Structure formats: structure tokens, C-alpha cells
Amino acid sequence: MRAWSVVAPGPVEAGGLRPVDRPVPVPGEDEVLVRVLACGVCRTDLHVTEGDLPVHRPGVTPGHEVVGVVAGFGTAVRGFAAGDRVGVAWLRRTDGSCAYCVRGAENLCPASRYTGWDADGGYAEYTTVPAAFAHRLPAGLDDVAAAPLLCAGIIGYRALKRASLPPGGRLGLYGFGGSAHLCAQVALAEGARVHVLTRGAAARRLALELGAASARDVLQLPPEPLDSAILFAPAGELVPVALRALDRGGVLSIAGIHLTDIPPLRYASELFYEKEVRSVTSNTREDAREFLALAARYGVRATTHTYPMARAAQALADLKAGRFHGAAVLVNDWWTGRPGATGPHRAYVSGTRAGRRAGGPSAGW
């Protein structure tokens, strides 16, 4: 199969993300093999590619907003059949037994592993996922629409929960990319007044089209004090800006996995009156289930820009440069017209239990 590999972490423009040929992965006994149909492009993929996040797996294939179909599975897997549509998200595996997992905070598990960082992800023809971490997708969403929900949507939802927005509250969103514009739709559907602070004129227009009460430059104050704010932009210099916009007792939730350095904070103007700063670390599977249900109920939809899988590096460069608003999605054109486009898929479908009983090509799974 073909896949993208981070062969030399560094600026994406330098060509460190390159297409390679690899064997189709063999799923472990508790894993599902997924034929990738579409994969969202997340800023975390950019951080992995450029080395902002430390290398966990040399030459890793990025991508953790994966929509695909089951093409095979291991011997311990139950509840999945060949052809089932599934989603693969950032959180890939936890130990299930540590104090954090036991108390329902599996996102803090010290043994947690992540798709597209610890294990190869969805910038490829195939990927694998533990069956317990594969997500059923709402039937009403097509592949492109579903992809950004699997990280941008889920993380935005967790950031919203961490922000402790009161019913009918005033919410500020700093940055308005893939995650923020999905979070905004949930907040608006639940009765919040949403104020968007972002540098991009196109993003401000999108915010107003979605129903935001205001959309201003990122360094401006919103028109009213905020009960809660979420920082989506990976810019530490915006932390004091957002804190100054909070009302007394307000909460700032920082959504990104990577943030530039935060400048010194002034206690009187930025922290006093019981203002709080909270980070967001990954998500739980319960977050994912809750968000996907809300997305179906509220009709949450991503503004998407599609790229063929063969142009994944360009999609990341465009994300870095802010050349689009909303979310980019890679569509797996590597299947189109390939001599093995149907042959390998049929072979891996024979990795079902029926295929194993028949002694098919994946009998060892």
C-alpha cells in the first residue's frame, strides 16, 4: 500500500513528509483493519510532522480523523463485520486499569497511545485500530463530513465541557479553524451567545454565518464580558488577552496539544476575581460518543475543503499558512484506478471469522 511518512520532522515545506510504499498492516488480535476512505487534516498532524511534538514512532504515518470500512480483524474482535463503516480518532489505547482510567479519566492514562503519533494513522490506504476504540458513525454523514468530527469535533466538545459554560452563557472562541467552528455549532444549539476572535476575515464571515453574536480581530475585546473562553489558536500570547476578556469567575479552556510560551500574567487584571485557566488533554471515548450523538441531533457540519490523498503535504502547508477556513479532508484517491484496488480489499475481507475457518489468506489473524 501507499502511505505518507514523517521521514524527517521539520517544516512541512522542506519535504520531510513523503509518500512511501509499505506492507498492508496486520491487525493484532484485538484490532480492526480499516480501509481508509477519508482522513481529516488536523493541526496536531502538522505538529507531529514539524517536530513540535517529540517523535514517538520514527517515520510515523500521521492522521487521526479517519473514516473507513472494516476490511479485517483479529481473533478477539466481536461486534464488527466486513464493510462496517467506522471512525478512528486520536485516542488509540489506554491500559484500562490505572487510577485515571478507573475514575473515568482515561484521557490522562500514563500508558495512553495515540493514532498518528504512537501508531501509524490514516494518511494511507489502510490503518488499524483497537476494536474498543473504533467509533460507529452517524448514518446521515458522508465520509468527508464525518472525518473532522473525529478529532476537531471531539476535542472542541471536550474543550467546551472544560470551559464550564453556564446555560445561556457568553462564550468567546479565540481562533476559528476546524475545531472551533464545530464547537460553536454545539454551543449555539444549546443557547450560548458566541463571540469569535480571530485574525482571518474569511473565518469571521463564517462565524457570523453560523450565528455568532460578533466576530472581531483576535486582539480586540468582545462586546461583552465572557463567562467562558476557549483558546484554539496555538498562541500562548493570547492567554492574557483571553483572560482580560473574562468576567469574574470566568474560565479559560486551552484546547491545543501544543502552545507557544505564555507571557507573564498580571494578577490584578488577568487572574484576580477567581478566574481559572484549564488545559485540555485528549478526550475520553465517552466524550466521543456524546459529541457524535449531539452532532447528529443538532446537525453539526464541518465546512470542508477536500484534497486528494496524494496532496497531503500540500494540505498541511495550506493549513499552516491559513489558506482555508474550516477543515481540510483528504479523500483517498490512491484507490482509484489501481490494479489492486479491489483485490487486496477482497483478501482482507476474507480475514473475517468465516475466512479464517476456510483457511483464507489471513487465517493467522
Side-chain angles (χ1 to χ4, degrees):
M1 71 171 189
R2 279 183 283 185
W4 287 91
S5 171
V6 182
V7 297
V12 66
E13 302 87 353
L17 180 70
R18 300 175 196 167
V20 297
D21 289 320
R22 285 183 173 160
V24 173
V26 176
E29 65 176 14
D30 66 342
E31 293 181 342
V32 172
L33 176 70
V34 178
R35 175 188 167 187
V36 177
L37 301 176
C39 185
V41 177
C42 179
R43 189 166 291 274
T44 302
D45 301 334
L46 182 64
H47 294 320
V48 169
T49 297
E50 297 202 323
D52 296 326
L53 297 178
V55 174
H56 279 192
R57 179 183 176 92
V60 72
T61 294
H64 55 273
E65 298 179 337
V66 185
V67 175
V69 293
V70 172
F73 38 78
T75 56
V77 174
R78 302 292 183 270
F80 287 98
D84 285 353
R85 194 171 72 135
V86 296
V88 182
W90 176 239
L91 185 65
R92 175 183 176 84
R93 191 183 289 277
T94 60
D95 64 22
S97 60
C98 70
Y100 304 101
C101 288
V102 170
R103 76 181 195 211
E106 66 180 4
N107 60 306
L108 302 179
C109 175
S112 57
R113 296 293 180 265
Y114 300 95
T115 308
W117 193 19
D118 295 293
D120 290 331
Y123 288 22
E125 293 183 66
Y126 286 99
T127 190
T128 61
V129 62
F133 289 80
H135 298 287
R136 304 286 185 178
L137 299 175
L141 290 174
D142 64 30
D143 300 333
V144 169
L149 302 184
L150 290 162
C151 180
I154 295 168
I155 291 297
Y157 176 66
R158 181 159 187 92
L160 181 61
K161 290 171 67 175
R162 293 281 290 159
S164 295
L165 182 67
R170 301 157 296 175
L171 175 66
L173 302 180
Y174 286 80
F176 203 68
S179 192
H181 88 293
L182 295 170
C183 174
Q185 293 176 57
V186 174
L188 288 164
E190 297 191 334
R193 284 176 57 81
V194 175
H195 300 283
V196 170
L197 297 305
T198 188
R199 66 184 182 182
R204 291 196 292 270
R205 288 194 297 271
L206 174 61
L208 294 174
E209 290 169 5
L210 290 174
S214 73
R216 297 184 174 184
D217 183 80
V218 73
L219 295 179
Q220 292 182 297
L221 281 171
E224 57 183 340
L226 303 173
D227 297 304
S228 305
I230 304 174
L231 177 58
F232 287 100
E237 64 268 23
L238 294 180
V239 170
V241 174
L243 286 170
R244 288 194 293 270
L246 289 177
D247 203 352
R248 299 181 182 208
V251 175
L252 171 62
S253 172
I254 300 176
I257 191 173
H258 170 77
L259 191 71
T260 58
D261 289 343
I262 300 171
L265 298 176
R266 295 180 176 86
Y267 183 67
S269 60
E270 294 157 6
L271 287 173
F272 196 49
Y273 296 120
E274 300 191 352
K275 296 179 183 180
E276 296 182 46
V277 180
R278 299 176 180 174
S279 66
V280 176
T281 300
S282 186
N283 61 274
T284 67
R285 282 171 286 175
E286 184 61 25
D287 292 331
R289 287 189 286 266
E290 288 176 2
F291 171 71
L292 290 172
L294 289 175
R297 182 189 310 166
Y298 296 145
V300 173
R301 294 292 184 272
T303 297
T304 55
H305 307 268
T306 59
Y307 291 74
M309 184 67 74
R311 295 186 61 218
Q314 184 62 55
L316 281 178
D318 289 349
L319 171 66
K320 180 179 179 180
R323 296 190 184 105
F324 57 80
H325 56 276
V329 178
L330 304 175
V331 177
N332 210 337
D333 63 316
W334 280 344
W335 282 97
T336 304
R338 279 170 56 77
T342 56
H345 182 48
R346 290 190 186 118
Y348 285 102
V349 167
S350 73
T352 62
R353 291 180 197 91
R356 285 195 296 272
R357 286 195 297 270
S362 23
W365 292 0

